[in-house]
Amino acid sequence: MDELTTFLDEHEATIVEAFRAQVVVSEDDQFKDFIHLNGQAMYRMVVGYFREQITQEDIKQLAFKVANERNQADINIGDFVFNVCLGRQLIVDLLQSGSFPPVILVSALTKVNECFDVFLVHAVSKYTDLKNNDLAEMNLFIERSHKDRLTILGQLASSFVHEFRNPLTSIIGFSKLLKEDYPDLPYVDIIVNELFQLNYRVSQFLLVSKKGVIQRKSEVFNFQQLFEEILAFLYPNIVDVNADIQCRIDPSCELTGYRDEIKQVFINIISNALDALHRKASNKIIAIDVLQADGATHVSISNNGVCIPPDLLNVIFEPFFTTKELGTGIGLFVCKEIIERHAGTITCESTDENTTFIMQFSPTAGRTNEKKAPA
């Protein structure tokens, strides 16, 4: 074995230079001028491993050092593995070029492979851990950025509402008085409806504004009555789109919660359905189903308009995500917040035939969250 290690010592410079010439290096790698030194360190590790001066713990420490450098350089893991395998192959070829007996050569090759295997396992594992940590930090940063944007949005919404809500309320009130005094005056119904629509949009911002929180008690309300109000409210839009509304609602279905919030959820989803049907030429259908099953209330609202692409289904409930040119991207986010606040769930399925929003409320929906302030 002494003869073999002496042979390796004598050829160190040759192997390190061959490694330096063939190694894969990125021009953007901040450690590119030192990679050959890691190769040299690994070569000496192998020699020390033969002499039993180096342990697997020593190899592990070198692996961790190299993995940290490779992570900082942000290189392709495939290039890293290639370079390690290159170093292994250069040593194997060197040993096979010597005049060693087969028994010694086989033993030497086994030790070389063992040394490099230990190095690769620890280096790749450490590199993977570092990348996962970087990804976790990036996700945390993105999450915090979203929360910061929501905080700013809440502050802007509060300021906007204070400046806008009072005159809007006055206009709505005077429009009602105008309608009472002049019932035959044309276009008053349209004006009142549009003002209510505007008021509804303002309310969406209120629900993501902390200053919009008001403490109130939940109530028991009937789904059939709620949808009758919603469809009456959206009637001008339904006529404009020429949509066929198909309702199958169990008249006994009720929910304990905040009626206005749930109403806003359904208005938002049906409004989105009407938008999706705008681009359809005919046979425009919105189906509303409410039933009780397995002790829970199931609500589904579907339309046969343009489908939602599969790659967008996972992000439609994210804040600020929108495919509309003038959309705010908070509508479905607010819907999800409200549904979850009522101990419910909301999901979406979309095919070429139908897009369906499915909501499920447990028997205790709304009751456990009465003291919880809306987000």
Side-chain angles (χ1 to χ4, degrees):
M1 191 62 72
D2 289 340
E3 181 183 353
L4 187 145
T5 53
T6 300
F7 175 79
L8 289 173
D9 286 337
E10 292 172 350
H11 290 82
E12 176 181 320
T14 302
I15 296 299
V16 171
E17 187 56 36
F19 179 79
R20 185 173 191 171
Q22 300 178 49
V23 72
V24 175
V25 181
S26 170
E27 287 300 318
D28 298 328
D29 190 341
Q30 65 199 81
F31 300 102
K32 62 182 179 181
D33 295 329
F34 304 98
I35 291 179
H36 71 286
L37 297 179
N38 288 332
Q40 185 177 43
M42 189 62 197
Y43 187 92
R44 291 175 179 176
M45 280 277 183
V46 172
V47 177
Y49 198 61
F50 280 133
R51 289 174 174 151
E52 297 184 350
Q53 298 171 344
I54 296 295
T55 66
Q56 291 193 7
E57 183 62 29
D58 296 321
I59 299 173
K60 176 182 175 181
Q61 294 306 314
L62 176 61
F64 280 9
K65 170 187 175 296
V66 175
N68 273 292
E69 291 179 0
R70 298 298 83 208
N71 179 58
Q72 291 179 49
D74 195 25
I75 57 94
N76 187 306
I77 186 65
D79 292 344
F80 171 55
V81 173
F82 172 85
N83 291 339
V84 174
C85 292
L86 170 64
R88 184 206 305 253
Q89 191 60 48
L90 289 172
I91 296 176
V92 168
D93 290 345
L94 174 65
L95 290 174
Q96 290 178 334
S97 69
S99 56
F100 303 106
V103 175
I104 294 178
L105 181 60
V106 169
S107 176
L109 294 177
T110 300
K111 277 190 168 293
V112 169
N113 285 325
E114 182 180 318
C115 189
F116 273 90
D117 287 344
V118 170
F119 178 84
L120 261 180
V121 167
H122 288 301
V124 172
S125 296
K126 183 65 174 178
Y127 180 89
T128 303
D129 289 343
L130 292 170
K131 284 297 180 186
N132 287 338
N133 289 338
D134 290 345
L135 182 60
E137 290 180 4
M138 185 180 300
N139 288 335
L140 180 61
F141 172 77
I142 293 172
E143 183 179 347
R144 286 175 177 172
S145 296
H146 274 299
K147 289 181 178 179
D148 290 343
R149 293 173 72 185
L150 286 175
T151 300
I152 294 171
L153 177 61
Q155 294 169 351
L156 289 174
S158 298
S159 176
F160 172 77
V161 167
H162 281 299
E163 296 294 330
F164 191 85
R165 204 83 186 269
N166 289 338
L168 178 61
T169 303
S170 297
I171 295 171
I172 292 174
F174 282 115
S175 297
K176 289 181 179 179
L177 290 175
L178 190 63
K179 183 180 179 181
E180 291 176 5
D181 293 342
Y182 304 95
D184 297 327
L185 190 65
Y187 312 125
V188 174
D189 288 337
I190 297 175
I191 293 172
V192 171
N193 184 75
E194 290 301 315
L195 288 172
F196 274 114
Q197 289 277 10
L198 182 58
N199 188 55
Y200 157 69
R201 297 300 177 189
V202 172
S203 297
Q204 281 195 311
F205 282 93
L206 268 176
L207 286 172
V208 291
S209 167
K210 291 183 178 179
K211 292 183 180 180
V213 174
I214 51 176
Q215 295 294 336
R216 63 198 186 282
K217 291 184 178 180
S218 61
E219 60 181 301
V220 178
F221 56 90
N222 181 273
F223 277 103
Q224 188 173 47
Q225 295 175 357
L226 184 65
F227 274 106
E228 287 175 358
E229 291 180 21
I230 292 170
L231 295 177
F233 174 67
L234 293 174
Y235 181 74
N237 305 69
I238 295 171
V239 172
D240 181 54
V241 175
N242 192 27
D244 178 19
I245 308 296
Q246 300 178 354
C247 294
R248 292 178 290 271
I249 303 175
D250 183 345
S252 66
C253 285
E254 296 180 335
L255 182 68
T256 301
Y258 304 119
R259 190 177 190 277
D260 289 344
E261 290 189 0
I262 296 298
K263 181 178 180 180
Q264 186 154 344
V265 169
F266 297 149
I267 288 176
N268 198 307
I269 293 175
I270 295 174
S271 295
N272 286 346
L274 291 169
D275 288 341
L277 291 173
H278 256 298
R279 287 168 280 180
K280 189 176 176 67
S282 60
N283 190 32
K284 306 173 183 181
I285 299 173
I286 295 177
I288 301 171
D289 294 273
V290 182
L291 58 90
Q292 286 186 337
D294 302 323
T297 301
H298 301 262
V299 181
S300 70
I301 301 175
S302 64
N303 71 84
N304 62 343
V306 179
C307 75
I308 301 173
D311 57 319
L312 299 184
L313 278 176
N314 292 329
V315 296
I316 60 174
F317 294 106
E318 293 294 321
F320 308 111
F321 173 81
T322 181
T323 58
K324 300 178 183 179
E325 184 177 352
L326 300 177
T328 61
I330 65 168
L332 289 177
F333 168 71
V334 169
C335 288
K336 186 172 184 289
E337 291 282 297
I338 292 173
I339 294 295
E340 291 180 350
R341 187 154 61 241
H342 285 77
T345 60
I346 179 171
T347 57
C348 179
E349 300 173 356
S350 190
T351 65
D352 290 336
E353 291 75 30
N354 284 289
T355 294
T356 305
F357 284 86
I358 304 164
M359 289 144 282
Q360 180 174 309
F361 301 92
S362 67
T364 57
R367 296 174 189 167
T368 58
N369 293 332
E370 290 185 9
K371 295 181 180 180
K372 184 180 179 181

